[in-house]
Amino acid sequence: MSNYTADGETAGPAVSGVQSVDRAVSVLEILAQRGEAGVSEVAAEIDVHKSTAFRLLGALEARGLVEQTAERGKYRLGFGIVRLAGAVTGRLDITQQGRPVCERLSEEIGETVNIAVLQEHFAVSLCQVRGPGAVGTHNWVGQLTPVHATSSGKILLAHLPADERAGVLAESGMRKLTPHTLTARTKLEKNLAEARERGYAWTLEELEIGLHAMAAPIRSRDGEVIAALSASGPAYRFTEERMHELAPALIGGAQEISHRMGHPG
């Protein structure tokens, strides 16, 4: 592969390495789309010399990500892909199993319902269903939100081992996003202890002024908290009192998703 950039400057190993990764991913996408392809087809598709395509396919084959078909010279995706996919299928299952529950709850509560998981020191939403009375059009899916200022983040934090929780919070920086954001560790820990006791967490204008939210834990087959089911709405309507009234419905929904994920409880 050429080690020169478009303007003739020598490209460092980092540049050519990133280019190789990009090309390798393109090869996987081509095979996913076509089912199978030969070296010439792959080379033409990603606009490289046949020898480069051959080396890319060889490297992917060595890792089990592609394999040659019975007809030599043709390649398809290998079972190594399944091994990698296994790392995210649990998250995909949560979305699949949880969506019907989210749809029912959003009707019942009248507000936006989300499923979120912990990703490094963020809570990230995988699924969102807007309720009939939902205000605004914000889509939280795929957005990284601060754990200490979101109800989902809080319930996920609450069920982490103490040392792990301390690490996540240290990484997060615990920024003050509104005058109501809890940034003192002692206050947050007290809030999380109460969330564990009640079975749900809540935020009162801690992420955004005018936004309230509450979240309950979703558990896996072995009882580990793997996700959070939350409901959020405008503070003037989704009041603290109303949230506490609706908490049993949210907890019930989270338990139903947990049951669908194989949790016996």
Side-chain angles (χ1 to χ4, degrees), residues 10-71:
T10 306
V15 175
S16 55
V18 169
Q19 192 178 38
S20 295
V21 171
D22 190 54
R23 285 171 171 173
V25 172
S26 296
V27 171
L28 296 174
E29 286 174 341
I30 290 160
L31 296 181
Q33 211 173 10
R34 299 189 177 195
E36 57 180 50
V39 179
S40 301
E41 282 176 80
V42 169
E45 190 75 33
I46 60 171
D47 195 22
V48 295
H49 196 272
K50 264 178 77 170
S51 61
T52 302
F54 188 73
R55 281 203 306 276
L56 284 167
L57 286 159
L60 291 167
E61 188 179 15
R63 293 298 188 100
L65 298 174
V66 308
E67 62 187 24
Q68 291 193 53
T69 63
E71 182 193 339

Side-chain angles (χ1 to χ4, degrees), residues 118 120-122 146-148 150 152-174 184-197 201 225:
L118 195 64
E120 295 169 350
H121 54 278
F122 297 103
V147 280
H148 68 295
T150 55
S152 294
K154 281 188 189 182
I155 205 71
L156 293 166
L157 278 174
H159 292 279
L160 284 179
D163 56 341
E164 218 176 303
R165 180 162 65 248
V168 170
L169 286 171
E171 277 182 59
S172 78
M174 294 182 67
R185 281 288 295 278
T186 46
K187 275 190 178 176
L188 183 63
E189 283 292 349
K190 193 180 170 192
N191 191 254
L192 297 180
E194 201 177 344
R196 275 192 299 274
E197 199 181 305
V225 172

Side-chain angles (χ1 to χ4, degrees), residues 116-117 122-126 138-146 207-208:
V117 294
F122 297 103
V124 60
S125 177
L126 302 179
H138 195 95
N139 184 3
W140 295 99
V141 175
Q143 287 208 6
L144 302 175
T145 58
L207 177 68
E208 285 180 11

Side-chain angles (χ1 to χ4, degrees), residues 222-244:
D222 58 8
E224 183 192 352
V225 172
I226 50 170
L229 178 68
S230 71
S232 58
Y236 67 84
R237 184 177 68 208
F238 202 46
T239 59
E240 188 174 359
E241 188 185 5
R242 182 155 166 72
M243 281 199 287
H244 295 318

